[in-house]
Amino acid sequence: MFVVDRDEERIDRYLAQQGTWSRAKIQQLIASGRVTVDGKTARASMKVGAGQEIVVRVPPPVAIDVLPEDIELDIRYEDRDLIVVNKPRGMVVHPAPGHVRGTLVGALLGHIKDLSGIGGAERPGIVHRIDKDTSGLLVVAKTDLAHQGLAEQFKAHSVTRLYQALVHGHVGPMTGMIDAPIARDRHKRQQMTVVPEGYGKRAVTHFQVLERYQNYTFVQLRLETGRTHQIRVHMAYIGHPVAGDPVYASRDPLALHGQALHAHTLGFIHPRTGEFLLFEAELPAVLQATLRDLQRQKASL
């Protein structure tokens, strides 16, 4: 349910600005009678005003048959409640149309018998995710107790999440904070973008410079919120897109063939024991080699 916070706005445009569905999906939902305003079926052209309640009833997704797969996993921790894995770049977290096989969920089901059922049949145990071409640490729930406890921590933004990235250009300040709301791009529906205050979800990223090279900067980033593509969008917004990013960077002179972004550190309170657990995963080999090359170039100047 959405409560409208401004006057004289077309309902399809207002819902698109919330960043949950594409404009085409919203129009499809309206046409099929699944959107109501104050209890009455909406029309795509109608305008809504402040205080009105919009309810969107989304039909359940078409089920995808998730099969266990014999895929090797880099497991950093496991007990009866949860498992922490270091996901390689190129692996999709959960199945979706076009990515049914070779997913982290399939690999997990091939490794253990049961995952938390809270995420549904297609996302069992998945509490959070990272992009296909981002490597690094993820925690997955094996029990409902763990899933609920971890989800509460992610919602409260109390989970420690540190990323490392190689970005274009020289980032000026040694430390900084990017506080800029993010929503789905109205013209490129597969992308996210920074939008004016009030038109998207609040997104906050903290950064620290670790090393500067000739044309690049190696940074550490801490997520205060967890929006889709947040780091990639925020770094592009301040003029320093992640190197190799096929969406938000216009060039890939290092031939990385994927973004140089790694979920390096993950910390959380164990939902059963109350113990704080902290994990770190080294940079993937391709990124380590790239940094060594850049360091040699820097030393030769």
Side-chain angles (χ1 to χ4, degrees), residues 12-91:
D12 56 348
R13 184 177 297 114
Y14 175 82
L15 288 174
Q17 291 169 350
Q18 306 313 304
T20 304
W21 306 283
S22 68
R23 188 82 172 268
K25 179 65 174 179
I26 291 165
Q27 291 172 342
Q28 182 185 47
L29 290 168
I30 293 174
S32 60
R34 292 183 172 275
V35 180
T36 60
V37 178
D38 293 337
K40 297 181 180 179
T41 303
R43 304 182 310 279
S45 60
M46 76 179 297
K47 293 186 176 181
V48 292
Q52 289 189 295
E53 292 184 353
I54 303 174
V55 175
V56 182
R57 294 180 294 109
V58 181
V62 177
I64 296 175
D65 187 18
V66 184
L67 298 176
E69 297 185 74
D70 185 14
I71 300 174
E72 185 177 353
L73 288 172
D74 181 3
I75 298 171
R76 297 304 174 96
Y77 176 84
E78 183 177 5
D79 62 22
R80 62 171 172 158
D81 289 302
L82 54 87
I83 182 170
V84 176
V85 297
N86 181 26
K87 185 189 81 68
R89 190 177 77 173
M91 175 180 276

Side-chain angles (χ1 to χ4, degrees), residues 281-296:
E282 65 282 356
L283 293 170
V286 63
L287 188 49
Q288 291 186 43
T290 299
L291 294 181
R292 287 195 296 268
D293 290 341
L294 291 173
Q295 187 63 44
R296 283 194 291 267

Side-chain angles (χ1 to χ4, degrees), residues 224-285:
E224 188 172 316
T225 57
R227 309 305 178 199
T228 301
H229 297 180
Q230 179 174 316
I231 288 174
R232 298 163 63 193
V233 171
H234 270 175
M235 295 312 293
Y237 174 67
I238 65 170
H240 300 287
V242 176
D245 191 326
V247 176
Y248 301 103
S250 60
R251 59 199 186 282
D252 184 13
L254 297 176
L256 293 169
H257 306 295
Q259 63 248 18
L261 180 60
H262 178 68
H264 177 267
T265 304
L266 178 66
F268 54 87
I269 296 173
H270 194 291
R272 186 180 298 274
T273 68
E275 178 187 4
F276 180 73
L277 302 177
L278 185 67
F279 303 94
E280 292 184 352
E282 65 282 356
L283 293 170

Side-chain angles (χ1 to χ4, degrees), residues 46-234:
M46 76 179 297
K47 293 186 176 181
V48 292
Q52 289 189 295
E53 292 184 353
I54 303 174
V55 175
V56 182
R57 294 180 294 109
V58 181
V62 177
I64 296 175
D65 187 18
V66 184
L67 298 176
E69 297 185 74
D70 185 14
I71 300 174
E72 185 177 353
L73 288 172
D74 181 3
I75 298 171
R76 297 304 174 96
Y77 176 84
E78 183 177 5
D79 62 22
R80 62 171 172 158
D81 289 302
L82 54 87
I83 182 170
V84 176
V85 297
N86 181 26
K87 185 189 81 68
R89 190 177 77 173
M91 175 180 276
V92 175
V93 172
H94 52 74
H99 293 287
V100 178
R101 299 291 177 258
T103 67
L104 178 63
V105 167
L108 287 167
L109 290 175
H111 173 73
I112 56 181
K113 292 182 179 180
D114 297 305
L115 293 172
S116 160
I118 293 177
E122 294 164 20
R123 304 186 182 187
I126 300 301
V127 184
H128 67 125
R129 58 180 292 275
I130 56 179
D131 296 335
K132 172 188 174 184
D133 287 327
T134 299
S135 57
L137 294 169
L138 279 148
V139 57
V140 179
K142 295 170 66 174
T143 64
D144 288 354
L145 179 147
H147 199 132
Q148 291 170 341
L150 291 168
E152 289 172 0
Q153 293 179 60
F154 276 98
K155 184 177 181 180
H157 308 304
S158 60
V159 177
T160 299
R161 286 182 292 172
L162 298 180
Y163 289 71
Q164 292 181 346
L166 183 67
V167 302
H168 286 278
H170 280 183
V171 178
M174 289 299 295
T175 61
M177 178 182 74
I178 308 166
D179 186 347
I182 290 175
R184 191 164 298 280
D185 192 302
R186 297 168 67 177
H187 305 291
K188 301 176 182 178
R189 301 305 305 176
Q190 300 303 312
Q191 299 184 27
M192 308 301 287
T193 188
V194 169
V195 294
E197 196 74 34
Y199 285 86
K201 297 180 179 179
R202 185 171 186 242
V204 180
T205 304
H206 302 264
F207 67 83
Q208 176 186 353
V209 171
L210 299 178
E211 186 71 54
R212 292 189 179 96
Y213 302 104
Q214 187 174 1
N215 298 307
Y216 298 90
T217 305
F218 186 50
V219 295
Q220 180 164 279
L221 306 116
R222 178 172 65 84
L223 289 178
E224 188 172 316
T225 57
R227 309 305 178 199
T228 301
H229 297 180
Q230 179 174 316
I231 288 174
R232 298 163 63 193
V233 171
H234 270 175

